[in-house]
Amino acid sequence: MTHYIASTLTIGLLTISTNALGFMSNNYVLPTPDDTNVTQLIVKLAPNEGTANGRVMTQGALSHLIAAGGMPLEYKRPMSGGAHVIKLPFPMTSWQAQEFATALSAQGNVTFAEADRRVYPMAAVTPNDPDYASQWHLQDPTQGNPGAANLPLAWGEMQNANSITVAVVDTGILNHSDLNDNLVSGNATGSGYDFISSSTYSNDGDVRDSNPSDPGDWNTDNNLCSITNSSWHGTHVAGTIAAEGNNSQGVAGINWTAKVLNARALGRCGGYISDVTDAIAWSSGEAIQGVPTNTNPAKVINLSLGSTGACSPSQQTAINTAIARGAVVVVAAGNEARNISNSSPANCNNVIAVTALLASGDLVNGSNYGTLADIAAPGVNILSTRDTGTQAPANSNTYSTESGTSMAAAHVSGVVSLMFAVQPSLSNGAVPAGNVASTIEGLLKTAARSFPVTSNCSGTTLCGAGMLDAYQAVIAARNFTVSNTNTGNTGGGGGGGGSSDVFSLFSLLLLLLPRFKRHYTNYRRNNT
């Protein structure tokens, strides 16, 4: 067995640290033939790379390098933007090739590296869920509903995408036949934690425990708050995000492979800020005293909740904790027809605040608004998973429509989870954890569609940067690359780059490729 010592080596003209390449272990799994589709990388070296030595890359030197590598390494060609196309030694999955590229990108002398994926004619995916036809909010916005979120083309981009955990901090979630498979533990009772600390408001006869399923949030005591039936709010939000799709049943969620983490913090008459903030921090993976460790930290945390007033210090602390751990916090703007500046936690820093749209692309009557709004999403007549019980659950596995910014926020959380799913660098450490949320927010806003000229949001920033567009957001995330410019190069140089640039690139690749040699041998044995 070959042992790789963590050290710094100088090969050719390129100095790199081998401990950054530790993911290439001898246990690297060779992809199966039907999952191998990436054969090339695109690599760009940092400016002035290799110009100090000026070594010329002759054909003889190239042949020597290929022989030294022990496999058919091939420099394909230079390309636009100063990058190069390199042929991989054997076909890889998109994920494997991207990990290889990420290792290259981590080197100080590499501006970026990415998998040279195949591009195909675009095909929209229409799920076979029987009630999908009634889900205007997920459909193509060019088909009569300008405010729709444009999911069919986004679904067409999701082959081999990763499963992403989304936390729903809400009233809890019910078992539902169209949702259970997408809960982290396959059922509502074991997929999170109940953070409600008062038996007066919990409606389940106890306080905090490991059963976060929704017993109902009905209230019959008008001394506590208004008399209401159970809302099943968390189940509706969770279904919007991640109801099973294309399963010939009920509705489609936005992300069919997401896993929902159930963080119950709202009960009868709402919930305490202290319970909500603990739920936020715990959902991101933070340790909370007296609460079991969260073994499924979420990359997306949905907060379809709020209250009047400024963002409290405890809320901001919990949100900052989640952001520092690489999570994105999505918040409903609120439904009081007022400025978001007076609605918490939508007015907290580092969140994505979501306003609600009609199918026409107008702001929903009652949606909060203001310069703190980040994006607008569908928020009226949203069809999702529900229950018919007026107090305790009837376990009816039914569906119904709801309206408001809670539903709009759920759309954004679902789309953000799709963005994570198609771009590994947003969750594998290539982007520093504390920068992930701002990166996602920037991509999401850039991808947003403009409001129709007839919309009451047109020409203003009070509704957000634009209308949520799932397809454009997924494409923006897929095309995102991590730039790592070498700021330590203070030597002279300049000009040229050409053949010595190629030599430096091969020096780097040759350090990595011996770790693939055994797998390449297996690949040849299995394909001859």
Side-chain angles (χ1 to χ4, degrees):
M1 177 180 295
T2 303
H3 297 277
Y4 295 96
I5 308 300
S7 62
T8 300
L9 303 178
T10 302
I11 298 182
L13 308 174
L14 188 66
T15 301
I16 67 177
S17 175
T18 60
N19 60 358
L21 312 174
F23 79 96
M24 298 293 187
S25 71
N26 284 339
N27 294 322
Y28 194 78
V29 178
L30 186 70
T32 57
D34 61 350
D35 194 29
T36 56
N37 54 9
V38 180
T39 59
Q40 300 181 156
L41 292 182
I42 299 172
V43 182
K44 182 177 181 179
L45 298 179
N48 299 327
E49 171 57 31
T51 56
N53 190 315
R55 180 170 178 176
V56 176
M57 182 62 187
T58 64
Q59 182 58 48
L62 175 59
S63 299
H64 176 75
L65 290 173
I66 292 173
M71 57 189 74
L73 179 65
E74 183 180 343
Y75 178 80
K76 297 282 287 188
R77 61 180 176 85
M79 59 174 288
S80 59
H84 304 273
V85 180
I86 302 297
K87 184 175 181 180
L88 289 166
F90 57 86
M92 299 182 189
T93 65
S94 295
W95 175 256
Q96 291 164 338
Q98 189 57 51
E99 280 210 335
F100 187 67
T102 298
L104 295 181
S105 298
Q107 310 310 314
N109 302 68
V110 176
T111 299
F112 68 79
E114 63 184 83
D116 192 4
R117 294 184 300 268
R118 299 282 298 170
V119 179
Y120 305 96
M122 188 52 57
V125 173
T126 301
N128 59 20
D129 306 80
D131 292 330
Y132 172 70
S134 299
Q135 293 182 278
W136 72 266
H137 42 100
L138 303 184
Q139 296 176 20
D140 183 344
T142 66
Q143 302 303 307
N145 293 311
N150 201 16
L151 266 301
L153 285 173
W155 288 326
E157 292 289 321
M158 300 311 296
Q159 296 87 350
N160 301 318
N162 302 304
S163 179
I164 300 298
T165 300
V166 181
V168 174
V169 180
D170 215 292
T171 62
I173 299 170
L174 286 174
N175 284 313
H176 195 290
S177 59
D178 207 11
L179 181 59
N180 273 14
D181 283 352
N182 286 346
L183 303 181
V184 293
S185 296
N187 61 79
T189 59
S191 292
Y193 195 77
D194 182 354
F195 284 89
I196 298 178
S197 57
S198 169
S199 59
T200 301
Y201 299 106
S202 66
N203 270 2
D204 61 2
D206 56 33
V207 291
R208 291 185 171 188
D209 60 27
S210 59
N211 180 359
S213 62
D214 189 353
D217 57 354
W218 83 94
N219 177 54
T220 56
D221 184 353
N222 60 12
N223 291 315
L224 292 176
C225 61
S226 299
I227 295 175
T228 59
N229 291 332
S230 292
S231 67
W232 314 118
H233 188 270
T235 301
H236 194 280
V237 167
T240 301
I241 296 169
E244 297 173 47
N246 215 33
N247 66 337
S248 301
Q249 178 183 344
V251 298
I254 290 172
N255 187 341
W256 308 340
T257 63
K259 293 298 180 183
V260 175
L261 181 67
N262 184 1
R264 183 177 185 239
L266 306 181
R268 177 164 61 160
C269 305
Y272 286 114
I273 285 178
S274 57
D275 291 340
V276 170
T277 54
D278 278 355
I280 294 169
W282 179 86
S283 293
S284 72
E286 184 77 359
I288 303 297
Q289 185 174 357
V291 178
T293 300
N294 176 12
T295 57
N296 298 282
K299 302 310 295 182
V300 187
I301 301 174
N302 186 88
L303 303 179
S304 290
L305 50 82
S307 62
T308 301
C311 177
S312 72
S314 63
Q315 285 178 307
Q316 190 63 67
T317 297
I319 289 166
N320 291 349
T321 295
I323 299 300
R325 288 180 167 272
V328 174
V329 181
V330 179
V331 186
N335 303 315
E336 297 78 30
R338 67 186 180 205
N339 198 293
I340 295 172
S341 61
N342 197 36
S343 183
S344 174
N347 56 9
C348 293
N349 294 326
N350 305 321
V351 303
I352 297 177
V354 186
T355 59
L357 289 177
L358 297 166
S360 64
D362 286 309
L363 191 71
V364 170
N365 184 28
S367 173
N368 289 351
Y369 55 86
T371 56
L372 294 180
D374 291 304
I375 197 163
V380 67
N381 294 328
I382 307 303
L383 183 62
S384 184
T385 48
R386 205 64 177 276
D387 192 83
T388 57
T390 57
Q391 293 188 359
N395 298 312
S396 54
N397 293 308
T398 50
Y399 309 86
S400 68
T401 59
E402 281 294 326
S403 300
T405 59
S406 285
M407 289 68 238
H411 281 74
V412 173
S413 289
V415 170
V416 169
S417 73
L418 295 179
M419 296 169 73
F420 272 109
V422 299
Q423 183 48 260
S425 67
L426 294 169
S427 56
N428 65 7
V431 176
N435 295 344
V436 169
S438 59
T439 299
I440 287 279
E441 182 179 338
L443 294 172
L444 193 69
K445 289 180 174 180
T446 300
R449 297 192 312 278
S450 298
F451 297 104
V453 293
T454 56
S455 169
N456 55 9
C457 292
S458 180
T460 177
T461 60
L462 299 182
C463 302
M467 300 184 293
L468 177 68
D469 191 302
Y471 171 62
Q472 293 298 336
V474 165
I475 292 300
R478 187 185 290 283
N479 291 340
F480 172 76
T481 57
V482 181
S483 179
N484 183 13
T485 303
N486 178 18
T487 58
N489 183 357
T490 58
S499 58
S500 59
D501 191 63
V502 174
F503 180 81
S504 296
L505 182 57
F506 269 93
S507 298
L508 177 59
L509 288 169
L510 283 172
L511 180 65
L512 297 175
L513 285 172
R515 305 186 183 203
F516 282 96
K517 190 170 183 179
R518 177 170 62 87
H519 305 298
Y520 173 69
T521 302
N522 291 338
Y523 172 78
R524 288 295 304 272
R525 183 184 301 118
N526 294 331
N527 289 274
T528 55

